[in-house]
Amino acid sequence: MKKFSSIRGTTDFDALEAGIFYDLTQKARNTLVRFGFEEIMLPVLEEQGLFLKGIGESSDITERQMFKIEGKDTVLRPEGTAGVIRFFIEHSLYKKSGFYKFFYIGPMFRGERPQKGRLRQFNHIGVEAIGSSSIYLDAEVIILLMKILDQLGVRDKQLIVNTLGCAKDKSALNKILFSDLKNKKESLCDNCKRRLDKNPLRVLDCKQSLCRETVASLKLENSYLCGDCLDSFKKLLSILDSFGVEYKNDPYLVRGLDYYTNTVFEVTSTKIGSQDAIAAGGRYNNLTKSLGGPDVPAIGFAVGVERVMLLLDKEDKRTELDVFIASTSQKLQEAAFEILNKLRDAGFVADCDYLDKSLKGQLRAAQKRGARFVIILAEEEFKNNTVALKDMRKNSQTLIEMTQVVKSLKEKI
Ligand SMILES: [Zn+2]
Ligand SMILES: [Zn+2]
């Protein structure tokens, strides 16, 4: 018989990992709410065109990595931002309020061949603040990201920031790159040779070592920035300084998606290698307009949850039982089942054995599940309407009235 295994590039979370996932998304959620962000949940299925238009046709994601549903114009979303903006435009939210702060937590998909650290299905915690171009919002979003990563326990991380400038500056940068790189075409990978004409910025984002060396020899500076953009970038850095946020300004940092303008940033970790950012984001002031909405500035970031999980010590977050119900014979099962459900209704984390184990086996199972107490139903005591209550930590046992089970446990826990 054929044995099935999970699709390459996908991961199963066992109870330990699911516990870690829940714990860290909940921590992030608490911080996000404190910063005034509201959670939204959008479908994983979106129209392919949304990403072609939003992310850009010559990006890695849209060229190679989209997970397309065969025979349909539908893809499994490769990232969250374009969907949030689709939602914002579709429901005309801009008519209701000038400013929104959204976050989402959920799976994203890539169709390319999976490599180390690059999964086919992975989770993002994403943030989008729509409607303001205040540089204080850029600062807030970066401070928020660092706070979340701190709270999740991510150490050895580095924040890299840069600015691409406004649309004008970005095209000036593209021109500089094109003229600098056209003589070095032979030192670029095939993809980049092709991209150079269409979108030279992409070359900066290429992960091939050949291209990275070529780019490093360019000696880029912020000379393409207009006065306003340079000033506001300096302001951003000074706010970060005053809040003690450590960063590196790297003029080679661009983000791989067309929609970014002005501030871009990412966080890398020495533990998983600098090529794979654990979080990345930036401003995308032109995306809403390019998707058919109004001209509204926005900024956001996404944290790769699985990458964060790689960096954390696996601390067991599984819930331990308050109480385990054991019985010495099958005849007592009905009574045991009744007590079990009474305890659950009273708010205890309670369970029993469904494998007809011996009492010894049941106690072992209770211990494995971390049960604080075990209630034992035995024939003789049952006739007298009593049950034994075993304290697993103290290894002591007392008899209690059947009707007092909930009350006695409430006193002890
Ligand atoms: Zn500018
Ligand atoms: Zn390349």
Side-chain angles (χ1 to χ4, degrees):
M1 268 270 274
K2 176 183 160 66
K3 279 197 185 134
F4 293 98
S5 48
S6 65
I7 307 261
R8 247 187 99 195
T10 64
T11 24
D12 297 321
F13 282 177
D14 62 14
L16 173 66
E17 285 152 340
I20 295 170
F21 179 86
Y22 181 78
D23 182 62
L24 71 85
T25 47
Q26 196 51 39
K27 277 185 187 153
R29 196 174 265 123
N30 293 341
T31 308
L32 286 159
V33 169
R34 249 193 307 127
F35 272 70
F37 284 79
E38 294 178 295
E39 184 163 14
I40 53 172
M41 296 173 84
L42 303 181
V44 297
L45 294 174
E46 293 277 5
E47 221 176 287
Q48 176 171 235
L50 175 67
F51 301 102
L52 294 180
K53 261 227 145 104
I55 298 174
E57 303 209 15
S58 64
S59 76
D60 276 354
I61 290 184
T62 49
E63 272 182 349
R64 300 186 280 124
Q65 303 175 348
M66 283 230 267
F67 207 117
K68 195 169 183 322
I69 309 281
E70 211 170 323
K72 294 205 164 55
D73 186 26
T74 306
V75 294
L76 298 175
R77 63 181 181 191
E79 56 94 57
T81 303
V84 174
I85 298 303
R86 190 265 308 144
F87 164 79
F88 174 79
I89 298 170
E90 185 178 351
H91 300 282
S92 306
L93 296 185
Y94 48 90
K95 289 181 186 159
K96 294 171 194 153
S97 163
F99 187 51
Y100 285 92
K101 284 156 103 177
F102 294 126
F103 76 95
Y104 51 87
I105 298 171
M108 307 292 156
F109 303 84
R110 297 283 159 91
E112 69 179 331
R113 198 168 58 85
Q115 304 158 24
K116 195 177 157 279
R118 297 187 164 246
L119 294 166
R120 222 165 227 164
Q121 179 179 343
F122 52 95
N123 288 279
H124 269 172
I125 300 169
V127 160
E128 321 290 349
I130 310 164
S132 165
S133 54
S134 165
I135 200 68
Y136 282 92
L137 182 62
D138 298 46
E140 171 173 297
V141 163
I142 292 174
I143 290 167
L144 167 65
L145 170 61
M146 298 315 277
K147 198 146 271 180
I148 288 176
L149 293 175
D150 277 344
Q151 278 167 352
L152 298 184
V154 178
R155 272 165 271 285
D156 306 315
K157 56 184 178 295
Q158 186 175 36
L159 167 68
I160 305 163
V161 289
N162 190 27
T163 181
L164 301 171
C166 55
K168 255 193 202 154
D169 305 343
K170 212 176 149 180
S171 73
L173 173 60
N174 257 325
K175 273 191 198 123
I176 293 174
L177 285 174
F178 181 73
S179 71
D180 283 357
L181 285 170
K182 70 174 191 285
N183 304 320
K184 301 186 176 181
K185 238 182 172 175
E186 288 321 302
S187 328
L188 295 174
C189 75
D190 288 345
N191 262 336
C192 288
K193 275 181 197 140
R194 188 173 42 81
R195 286 170 181 164
L196 186 59
D197 301 317
K198 262 202 206 163
N199 196 343
L201 261 178
R202 289 265 177 266
V203 180
L204 260 60
D205 211 28
C206 182
K207 304 284 185 236
Q208 302 278 339
S209 55
L210 180 65
C211 300
R212 288 178 91 86
E213 280 167 29
T214 312
V215 163
S217 70
L218 291 182
K219 302 203 170 50
L220 270 187
E221 280 166 33
N222 287 340
S223 59
Y224 53 87
L225 294 176
C226 70
D228 284 352
C229 289
L230 189 62
D231 285 349
S232 75
F233 188 57
K234 279 185 184 158
K235 177 74 188 164
L236 171 66
L237 298 186
S238 84
I239 302 171
L240 294 180
D241 284 335
S242 68
F243 277 83
V245 176
E246 284 177 33
Y247 59 84
K248 190 179 121 191
N249 172 209
D250 178 356
Y252 295 102
L253 175 72
V254 300
R255 303 284 319 137
L257 315 179
D258 267 356
Y259 55 59
Y260 285 112
T261 53
N262 304 88
T263 308
V264 286
F265 52 93
E266 65 180 34
V267 179
T268 56
S269 163
T270 46
K271 275 194 187 164
I272 51 172
S274 58
Q275 291 206 9
D276 295 317
I278 36 181
R283 230 174 218 293
Y284 49 93
N285 290 347
N286 302 322
L287 179 61
T288 311
K289 200 174 170 198
S290 78
L291 290 176
D295 195 356
V296 171
I299 183 168
F301 66 73
V303 178
V305 180
E306 280 77 0
R307 287 185 185 172
V308 168
M309 284 172 76
L310 278 179
L311 298 171
L312 303 180
D313 302 325
K314 286 199 172 176
E315 197 186 329
D316 204 332
K317 298 283 183 190
R318 270 174 292 186
T319 310
E320 298 192 327
L321 293 181
D322 293 322
V323 53
F324 188 94
I325 320 295
S327 51
T328 54
S329 84
Q330 270 209 292
K331 273 186 266 169
L332 297 168
Q333 224 171 13
E334 196 178 324
F337 197 62
E338 210 180 297
I339 295 178
L340 173 64
N341 283 292
K342 233 183 233 162
L343 287 166
R344 286 174 177 161
D345 286 345
F348 294 105
V349 184
D351 212 347
C352 69
D353 156 56
Y354 287 104
L355 296 172
D356 299 328
K357 280 187 188 139
S358 66
L359 181 61
K360 217 174 147 191
Q362 291 175 69
L363 289 174
R364 220 178 291 134
Q367 193 147 38
K368 252 194 187 160
R369 306 274 304 273
R372 176 89 173 74
F373 291 95
V374 180
I375 286 171
I376 304 166
L377 280 80
E379 302 267 358
E380 279 307 304
E381 288 85 356
F382 186 70
K383 276 181 203 153
N384 300 322
N385 285 318
T386 57
V387 293
L389 178 64
K390 189 176 166 69
D391 185 324
M392 297 292 274
R393 277 186 212 160
K394 293 183 184 151
N395 204 18
S396 62
Q397 198 167 312
T398 47
L399 274 184
I400 54 170
E401 295 275 328
M402 196 112 75
T403 52
Q404 300 297 305
V405 167
V406 171
K407 194 170 161 262
S408 328
L409 273 170
K410 276 204 169 144
E411 280 162 12
K412 288 177 191 293
I413 293 181

